[in-house]
Amino acid sequence: MWDHALKPGPVWTVQPEISTHFPLLAQNQARARTEMSGDPVICSTSNLLPGKRPQLMLDAFEALLPHWPKAHLYLCYRFDDMLPALRARLAHAPALAQAVTLMGHVPRDQMADLYNSADIYLLTSKHEIGPTSFTEAAACGAIPVCTDLASIRKMSDAGKIGILFPLEASGDEIAQAMLPLRNQISDQNRADIRAYFETYLSYDKIVGGMVAQWAQPRRT
């Protein structure tokens, strides 16, 4: 979340969490700054908490590795309750450990580079209410792969961008759903996802929709 102090203003002042100003950047330049690499690069910005299901994320990624041997998963998080369990798992799975980086907390001013470095944004949460990270990833052109939750279904227009997988999906099932994405990773696809963001998820679109709603005549 933005480190934001409220200041006096109109009652409809928009909170930064509803969208993002993150730009679409040249991916090679972003990766030069983050030193992230992989083919493809997959990132998660979910905290390591039970409700975010990081073990399921590792299940899916481990199932992908035989098909995508050069893939790399980067986990960015602030809260790390499940970090010991993940480290224990990686300690007993050398091939998986080599392909996973536990980044920990990434400063806010580096997050745009992180999202722009990613080909795929992965979210395995059981519950989300309009996750800001989805909007940020889309702004930076990353393909979203997410649990099919009501909020994400609405934000993605029922999976118009990326992939939605059922809440009860296993790691193997998530991996199988992701395999076709390998042929979609391109600069053009990044631009298309950015265009979707600008059309549906940007501040202008969200605030415009809010103002239009408020302007509707109301019965008294």
Side-chain angles (χ1 to χ4, degrees), residues 15-85:
Q15 296 301 305
E17 289 83 358
I18 67 171
S19 188
T20 183
H21 288 301
F22 285 175
L24 182 66
L25 305 171
Q27 191 174 70
N28 61 338
Q29 295 177 13
R31 288 184 179 180
R33 290 187 288 270
T34 61
E35 299 183 348
M36 294 166 66
S37 63
D39 184 20
V41 169
I42 303 171
C43 85
S44 165
T45 55
S46 298
N47 288 312
L48 304 185
L49 301 173
K52 306 297 184 180
R53 303 194 294 177
Q55 292 283 19
L56 177 63
M57 190 174 296
L58 290 185
D59 290 345
F61 183 67
E62 190 168 32
L64 276 172
L65 279 178
H67 306 279
W68 295 353
K70 297 182 180 179
H72 202 100
L73 174 64
Y74 292 85
L75 303 182
C76 164
Y77 49 86
R78 287 187 299 155
F79 303 111
D80 59 1
D81 297 23
M82 296 186 66
L83 183 58

Side-chain angles (χ1 to χ4, degrees), residues 14-187:
V14 178
Q15 296 301 305
E17 289 83 358
I18 67 171
S19 188
T20 183
H21 288 301
F22 285 175
L24 182 66
L25 305 171
Q27 191 174 70
N28 61 338
Q29 295 177 13
R31 288 184 179 180
R33 290 187 288 270
T34 61
E35 299 183 348
M36 294 166 66
S37 63
D39 184 20
V41 169
I42 303 171
C43 85
S44 165
T45 55
S46 298
N47 288 312
L48 304 185
L49 301 173
K52 306 297 184 180
R53 303 194 294 177
Q55 292 283 19
L56 177 63
M57 190 174 296
L58 290 185
D59 290 345
F61 183 67
E62 190 168 32
L64 276 172
L65 279 178
H67 306 279
W68 295 353
K70 297 182 180 179
H72 202 100
L73 174 64
Y74 292 85
L75 303 182
C76 164
Y77 49 86
R78 287 187 299 155
F79 303 111
D80 59 1
D81 297 23
M82 296 186 66
L83 183 58
L86 265 63
R87 283 180 169 160
R89 175 174 178 174
L90 294 175
H92 292 90
L96 180 61
Q98 191 172 18
V100 175
T101 296
L102 301 171
M103 300 183 75
H105 175 67
V106 174
R108 187 68 194 171
D109 61 3
Q110 297 176 25
M111 289 300 294
D113 278 338
L114 181 141
Y115 284 119
N116 274 280
S117 296
D119 297 304
I120 296 170
Y121 156 78
L122 184 57
L123 183 146
T124 53
S125 299
K126 292 173 67 175
H127 309 284
E128 290 287 352
I129 303 175
T132 306
S133 60
F134 181 99
T135 305
E136 293 171 341
C140 299
I143 302 171
V145 176
C146 306
T147 316
D148 189 358
L149 304 174
S151 59
I152 296 174
R153 173 165 283 272
K154 184 174 180 63
M155 294 172 76
S156 68
D157 193 10
K160 186 175 181 178
I161 56 168
I163 289 175
L164 302 181
F165 55 83
L167 178 64
E168 65 275 10
S170 66
D172 286 338
E173 290 169 334
I174 296 169
Q176 286 297 316
M178 291 176 67
L179 288 177
L181 294 181
R182 192 65 193 83
N183 297 324
Q184 298 179 27
I185 295 170
S186 66
D187 288 341

